[in-house]
């Protein structure tokens, strides 16, 4: 993945392999870290989530108003 490795639950061998690949590639760790920071700032900041909730509430209000007409 771009921001980390996904391994099956309870698969210690897959987890160990993922950790080993990161240990062997500091460049990959750096790239994944930067990609994760970018993803966080675009999707998960308090400001972004508040704006998304506001949009959702406005859409729900509009939808409800249409049904009441």
């Amino acid at each position: 993945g771009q921001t980390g490795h996904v391994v099956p639950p309870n698969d210690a061998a897959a987890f160990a392999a993922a950790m080993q690949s990161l240990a062997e590639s500091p460049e990959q760790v750096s790239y994944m870290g930067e990609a994760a920071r970018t993803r966080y700032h675009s999707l998960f900041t308090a400001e972004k989530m508040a704006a998304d909730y506001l949009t959702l509430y406005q859409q729900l209000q509009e939808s409800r108003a249409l049904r009441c007409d």
Side-chain angles (χ1 to χ4, degrees):
Q2 291 187 10
T3 60
H5 293 294
V6 177
V7 296
N10 302 315
D11 188 339
F15 180 75
M19 294 298 99
Q20 183 65 35
S21 76
L22 294 174
E24 293 172 354
S25 180
E27 303 86 18
Q28 184 181 24
V29 172
S30 180
Y31 171 81
M32 286 181 169
E34 186 58 38
R37 276 187 291 284
T38 299
R39 180 173 168 79
Y40 165 78
H41 286 291
S42 67
L43 298 175
F44 301 112
T45 62
E47 294 83 6
K48 172 68 172 145
M49 292 191 326
D52 288 347
Y53 275 116
L54 180 59
T55 299
L56 174 62
Y57 292 145
Q58 289 169 337
Q59 290 171 346
L60 291 172
Q61 260 186 327
E62 291 169 10
S63 174
R64 186 173 182 183
L66 291 174
R67 283 193 302 233
C68 292
D69 288 344

